[in-house]
Amino acid sequence: MFGYKAPGRTTGAVAAGVAIGLLLSACGGSSSSQDSASGEIIEDGALTMGLSAEPANLPAGKDTGQVGYTLNALLHRGLMAYDSDGKLTEGLAESYKVVDPKTYEFDLRPNLEFSDGTALTGSNVEQTLEYLSDPDTAAHAYGGLKDIESVEVSDEDTVVVHLSQPNNAFLQYLAVPTAAIVPPDALTGGVDAWVGAGPFVLEEHNKGTNMILKRNAKYYAADEVPLETLELAFYPDGKARTNALLSGDVDLIDYVPWEDFDRVSSTDGITLDAQDGPFMYLHFNVTDGPVANPLVRQAIAHAINRDNAVAAAFSGHGSPLSGMPVSEDDPNYDEAWSNMWSYDPDRAKELLAEAGYENGLTLSLLTSSQYAFHQDTALSVQADLKAVGINAELNNPDWAARVEQGNAGKYDIAVSGNVGTVTDISYISAFVDGPANYTRSFGYSNAKLNDAFSKAMLTQDPGEQQKFYDQAREIFAEDVPLTTISSRAQGYAYANTVTNFKNLPGFLSFYSGYSLASMAEVSQ
Amino acid sequence: MINFLLKRVATGIVLIYVVLTLIFLMLHAVPGDPAMQLLAGDGAAQVTPAALEAARERLGLNAPLPVQYWNYLAGAVQLDLGTSFQDGAPVLDLVSERLPNTLELVLLAVLIALAVGIPLGSVAARRGGFVDSAISVGTSIGMSVPVYVVGALFVLLFALKLGWFPAGGYEEAGGNFVGHVSRVVLPAAALSFGIASIIARMTRSAILDNYRQDWVRTARSWGIGRRLVFRKHVLRNSLTPVATVTALQIGTLLGSTVLVERIFNWPGISALLVDSVIERDYPVVQGIVIILSAIFIFINILVDVLYGYLDPRARVS
């Protein structure tokens, strides 16, 4: 404009500086994992896992979500455990004996130690099981361990557990990662359970960045743990986690975002391992209002187009579910459990008319904006309900507010996602009975349903058991304490330098830390 | 000047008190129970009323609100910002771990923005024509594209496609300096994108404005060379508004780190703030907000001092 020559020196210097910076930085950039595709297994290798959250704490026995389960499986062991096929196996117990349906005897492995060098004895088992079965502890595995009546240490290495009533899933509950045996100071409150008797020991915690775990030389099967070092790098953002894997920054990630499934699975040198496990459902406040009427709940169950919900919330990576999921390995498996309510808008309208709402009704629908899949499920349900004459008003706060409103029953319908603590069919009873909880229908109680579940769990006769579970299923379908929408695929993904890691099947997907600890290897 | 500074510091302290009070009241007003978050987290734990009550008592949430407020205030004046509800760590420790990471990101972003924005604005003003138009279009785009889009594009291009940089994460500079630098470049560059455009436009406009002044014509008539007039007079006078805008933009940059730290998995204070809000970790949220407010107020005071240095008229007034 003024006829001057451009001040080339200034811009040139900036450009050169930026270029040098880029070059310098690029030297430090990590190369793609695909370049170092599988070779020989590295003995005592190191693996970096992108973890979906940073554990702020690790309170003994508590449910702190998937990251908590993973850490418990890495740092701790219970009397029982799961192998990498999801089969129940012995943990700290070398063997066990079912003396009678209410008495279990466990022989501990010899010379057990916690990672800090203190001995792990029968007394530790006794203290931990008493802690976990105390209702005030609010333990994750309480649903199955509440039946513990007493624990007897017959000698330092033998523990006898007496139950108040038979519990067919008792051994499974002992294998839940949060049912680990921990040192006494972790049971008194205020002290996190970082010290354990598991395959790894926490060496370093760089807050906001990572945790460095080293193989625990005092673990009873330390020589069977392939990895020497396991870095857990925190990637709370799903996209950042996926990008870290694809760029080779990490070897393995958990909780692959559903919208990234196709991108991950189509990338050479990356394996996506997804299992249908957790499920989404609607539950109700049945204390008053229209949804206190089972006919309205049935109408809602029939109004939902579950295929649409799977597409909206999980990019199609899940399965429609119109009943409670039961493992096909379960002796009481019956396909009828998974097919209770067909998608039938006309039937839904008939039921609403029968209930006296032929002109439609307005209900509040509680979900959470913090998790896109909760929100998207709610939006899909909202559209389906509108089609049968139900105006569902969305209440979409963040998770903390969602929990508070759920506990206080401030909703008509709420969206939840959950998973059974164990794979045994008895897990269903925890969804229909117990004190108010933000994941269960508010004010719901059905004595006949509870009775059928109780009898099924108490009897040792398979025929009788089947009969009671059938009764429970029929009541469930008619009374609709909750209605399921879909199962969702829970995915891990890893570079081809990682071998032998397995996402455990079904509900056990969240416990895949067991496989990571005992099987995963890295190669060159 | 001293009186002026003292007045600004006193105003700053009052502002921090107001911020502290507001954030305290707002946190307690929003739904969500910190005790429940502590016990249940993201899981679906069955929390008994007794366990919940015990946790509330331990966290001091059962005390009347005025008592909680007084306790917090009493701690804050002694620089005790309390301990995290989630992991029991002192808030000051958490902040001092994370704040340097965010400041590093912001300062580097400002340096990049200045290094790119001032030359671009100068070239646009002096060249005019097509170059000016091209830079104007470029800076318009730079100002209008959200930082999360820029960040995501940078990851796709420089990390996943070209493989020049890691996609994110953090390494201690002391442990691996090159690794550290390689991880800070992309987020800082993404953060600087918008502010570099603003600086370029501000520089251009200020230079054009100064070129129209009589004193430029006078200087030229005395025989002073164009380059010298530009460097010594025009550019220096043009940098005054640039410095002001840059300093004020630091507040915006601090806000943008909320997104950038998430995209690049950078363990800064903004990521901690978001996590703490989600967990209803009152002491950590309050502590971070107070410290960020103090930084912002400090920057504003610094701007005033800088303004006085760059423009003697302001110093006199």
Side-chain angles (χ1 to χ4, degrees):
Chain A
M1 183 176 281
F2 292 92
Y4 291 113
K5 276 192 169 181
R9 264 188 300 178
T10 314
T11 43
V14 170
V18 170
I20 290 167
L22 291 174
L23 202 61
L24 175 75
S25 306
C27 296
S30 47
S31 60
S32 167
S33 63
Q34 286 94 298
D35 297 339
S36 55
S38 61
E40 298 220 343
I41 299 293
I42 302 170
E43 273 192 43
D44 302 330
L47 186 149
T48 303
M49 178 183 187
L51 207 59
S52 53
E54 175 173 9
N57 48 27
L58 194 65
K62 303 288 176 64
D63 181 358
T64 51
Q66 177 175 3
V67 166
Y69 306 146
T70 301
L71 268 173
N72 272 297
L74 295 171
L75 299 177
H76 293 284
R77 265 307 163 269
L79 290 174
M80 304 296 290
Y82 286 105
D83 67 16
S84 59
D85 291 320
K87 300 273 183 259
L88 195 63
T89 184
E90 288 83 1
L92 297 178
E94 189 167 44
S95 63
Y96 65 89
K97 190 163 68 182
V98 184
V99 179
D100 63 55
K102 295 203 298 183
T103 310
Y104 290 75
E105 187 177 299
F106 298 92
D107 285 325
L108 299 183
R109 293 177 192 272
N111 307 317
L112 288 172
E113 283 182 73
F114 290 111
S115 58
D116 64 0
T118 56
L120 190 162
T121 65
S123 300
N124 297 113
V125 175
E126 180 187 16
Q127 289 167 5
T128 304
L129 291 184
E130 283 174 354
Y131 168 84
L132 295 173
S133 58
D134 181 345
D136 285 342
T137 300
H140 172 224
Y142 176 72
L145 302 184
K146 67 180 187 305
D147 296 330
I148 294 177
E149 192 171 63
S150 64
V151 182
E152 181 191 330
V153 183
S154 56
D155 62 61
E156 276 301 281
D157 293 330
T158 307
V159 176
V160 180
V161 180
H162 300 280
L163 303 183
S164 58
Q165 57 182 6
N167 180 339
N168 296 320
F170 179 63
L171 291 174
Q172 285 194 43
Y173 278 98
L174 290 178
V176 170
T178 52
I181 306 303
V182 296
D185 61 353
L187 303 174
T188 54
V191 177
D192 283 316
W194 297 119
V195 174
F200 288 91
V201 57
L202 177 64
E203 185 169 278
E204 211 176 299
H205 182 181
N206 302 301
K207 285 186 180 171
T209 310
N210 64 6
M211 278 178 168
I212 308 291
L213 275 55
K214 290 283 184 186
R215 185 193 293 140
N216 177 13
K218 298 186 169 65
Y219 177 52
Y220 62 81
D223 54 349
E224 293 168 19
V225 177
L227 297 171
E228 167 65 24
T229 306
L230 181 56
E231 178 188 352
L232 304 175
F234 311 134
Y235 283 87
D237 182 79
K239 277 269 179 271
R241 200 161 56 250
T242 302
N243 289 335
L245 175 70
L246 298 185
S247 67
D249 282 356
V250 301
D251 305 303
L252 164 74
I253 60 171
D254 69 349
Y255 237 115
V256 181
W258 296 280
E259 63 272 20
D260 285 344
F261 269 36
D262 294 340
R263 185 161 69 114
V264 168
S265 59
S266 64
T267 302
D268 286 342
I270 301 286
T271 300
L272 172 70
D273 186 354
Q275 296 278 349
D276 264 11
F279 57 92
M280 304 300 293
Y281 59 100
L282 301 179
H283 53 102
F284 311 98
N285 178 348
V286 301
T287 52
D288 58 12
V291 291
N293 185 339
L295 291 176
V296 174
R297 302 200 293 269
Q298 282 181 37
I300 292 169
H302 283 293
I304 297 162
N305 184 332
R306 292 169 171 83
D307 289 309
N308 282 354
V310 172
F314 303 112
S315 307
H317 300 294
S319 305
L321 184 65
S322 58
M324 298 303 284
V326 178
S327 165
E328 288 185 29
D329 294 337
D330 193 291
N332 293 293
Y333 172 75
D334 184 340
E335 204 184 342
W337 269 108
S338 304
N339 297 293
M340 292 185 183
W341 313 283
S342 58
Y343 171 52
D344 189 346
D346 292 334
R347 176 71 186 135
K349 286 179 189 168
E350 284 171 20
L351 286 162
L352 286 176
E354 200 179 325
Y357 298 103
E358 60 274 18
N359 296 323
L361 71 160
T362 296
L363 299 170
S364 64
L365 176 57
L366 178 63
T367 183
S368 176
S369 57
Q370 193 167 315
Y371 298 109
F373 61 96
H374 278 247
Q375 181 176 275
D376 293 341
T377 299
L379 289 170
S380 180
V381 166
Q382 187 185 36
D384 294 336
L385 294 181
K386 191 173 183 184
V388 299
I390 298 175
N391 174 32
E393 292 176 338
L394 214 61
N395 179 13
N396 200 15
D398 74 349
W399 186 247
R402 154 72 181 88
V403 169
E404 185 170 281
Q405 292 177 26
N407 280 332
K410 291 181 181 169
Y411 63 92
D412 291 314
I413 311 171
V415 174
S416 271
N418 213 330
V419 67
T421 307
V422 294
T423 57
D424 187 87
I425 189 173
S426 61
Y427 86 89
I428 297 171
S429 66
F431 282 79
V432 296
D433 189 24
N437 182 280
Y438 60 93
T439 61
R440 193 167 43 232
S441 284
F442 189 79
Y444 184 84
S445 183
N446 183 321
K448 285 183 182 169
L449 183 58
N450 294 344
D451 187 53
F453 274 121
S454 289
K455 285 177 175 164
M457 286 186 265
L458 284 174
T459 183
Q460 301 300 303
D461 180 323
E464 282 284 292
Q465 198 170 50
Q466 185 67 53
K467 188 183 86 182
F468 290 126
Y469 276 126
D470 285 347
Q471 276 178 16
R473 178 172 45 78
E474 283 163 18
I475 298 168
F476 199 110
E478 196 171 308
D479 206 36
V480 196
L482 61 89
T483 180
T484 45
I485 300 170
S486 67
S487 61
R488 65 179 205 236
Q490 202 65 31
Y492 289 82
Y494 45 89
N496 63 358
T497 49
V498 177
T499 48
N500 290 335
F501 170 77
K502 277 188 190 170
N503 186 357
L504 301 189
F507 294 167
L508 301 182
S509 172
F510 281 160
Y511 305 159
S512 298
Y514 279 126
S515 169
L516 180 61
S518 60
M519 296 299 291
E521 297 174 308
V522 285
S523 56
Q524 289 175 333
Chain B
M1 191 66 172
I2 298 284
N3 277 346
F4 166 78
L5 278 179
L6 286 175
K7 260 188 213 168
R8 293 302 310 265
V9 169
T11 312
I13 289 170
V14 172
L15 274 175
I16 288 173
Y17 168 72
V18 171
V19 167
L20 182 153
T21 304
L22 281 177
I23 194 72
F24 179 88
L25 292 174
M26 283 163 68
L27 277 175
H28 283 80
V30 295
D33 185 348
M36 178 56 86
Q37 285 302 109
L38 178 66
L39 295 177
D42 283 345
Q46 178 69 64
V47 179
T48 62
L52 192 61
E53 191 59 20
R56 291 184 60 81
E57 188 66 34
R58 197 171 73 246
L59 300 178
L61 295 167
N62 281 339
L65 201 60
V67 174
Q68 291 185 49
Y69 176 67
W70 176 253
N71 290 340
Y72 187 68
L73 210 57
V77 294
Q78 299 170 68
L79 294 180
D80 176 7
L81 297 176
T83 53
S84 163
F85 284 169
Q86 283 290 320
D87 67 2
V91 172
L92 271 180
D93 287 359
L94 291 174
V95 170
S96 60
E97 278 170 16
R98 299 288 197 99
L99 185 61
N101 296 344
T102 297
L103 292 182
E104 178 187 3
L105 209 55
V106 168
L107 291 177
L108 192 57
V110 169
L111 286 178
I112 294 172
L114 287 171
V116 174
I118 292 174
L120 270 184
S122 304
V123 169
R126 298 178 72 191
R127 280 284 188 91
F130 173 76
V131 173
D132 185 20
S133 302
I135 291 175
S136 281
V137 170
T139 51
S140 295
I141 293 171
M143 286 193 302
S144 53
V145 179
V147 69
Y148 57 86
V149 174
V150 177
L153 288 175
F154 276 19
V155 170
L156 285 176
L157 180 63
F158 295 114
L160 299 183
K161 182 79 180 166
L162 299 173
W164 289 0
F165 298 95
Y170 177 83
E171 280 194 53
E172 287 283 350
N176 178 0
F177 182 72
V178 175
H180 178 83
V181 172
S182 73
R183 286 173 197 275
V184 76
V185 168
L186 276 192
L191 198 58
S192 73
F193 209 69
I195 188 177
S197 303
I198 292 171
I199 288 172
R201 289 176 83 93
M202 181 56 74
T203 306
R204 174 188 174 276
S205 140
I207 288 174
L208 289 178
D209 195 38
N210 280 318
Y211 265 130
R212 291 191 198 103
Q213 301 298 317
D214 292 342
W215 51 265
V216 173
R217 212 167 19 248
T218 308
R220 289 288 293 126
S221 70
W222 285 355
I224 303 174
R226 284 174 174 165
R227 282 180 182 232
L228 196 59
V229 169
F230 175 75
R231 273 213 310 267
K232 237 179 138 144
H233 302 288
V234 175
L235 187 59
R236 182 168 174 182
N237 278 292
S238 303
L239 289 183
T240 308
V242 171
T244 311
V245 166
T246 304
L248 293 177
Q249 283 294 319
I250 289 177
T252 311
L253 284 184
L254 278 171
S256 299
T257 55
V258 169
L259 295 166
V260 170
E261 288 178 4
R262 194 57 94 185
I263 293 167
F264 291 96
N265 210 41
W266 185 259
I269 202 163
S270 300
L272 179 64
L273 177 62
V274 173
D275 291 342
S276 302
V277 170
I278 287 170
E279 301 295 349
R280 299 294 191 272
D281 197 338
Y282 295 166
V284 178
V285 175
Q286 289 163 173
I288 292 174
V289 170
I290 290 168
I291 285 167
L292 289 182
S293 306
I295 289 173
F296 195 69
I297 289 164
F298 172 74
I299 288 168
N300 274 290
I301 294 172
L302 204 64
V303 170
D304 288 333
V305 174
L306 193 64
Y307 202 83
Y309 170 74
L310 290 171
D311 185 350
R313 287 171 303 178
R315 206 164 29 200
V316 172
S317 68

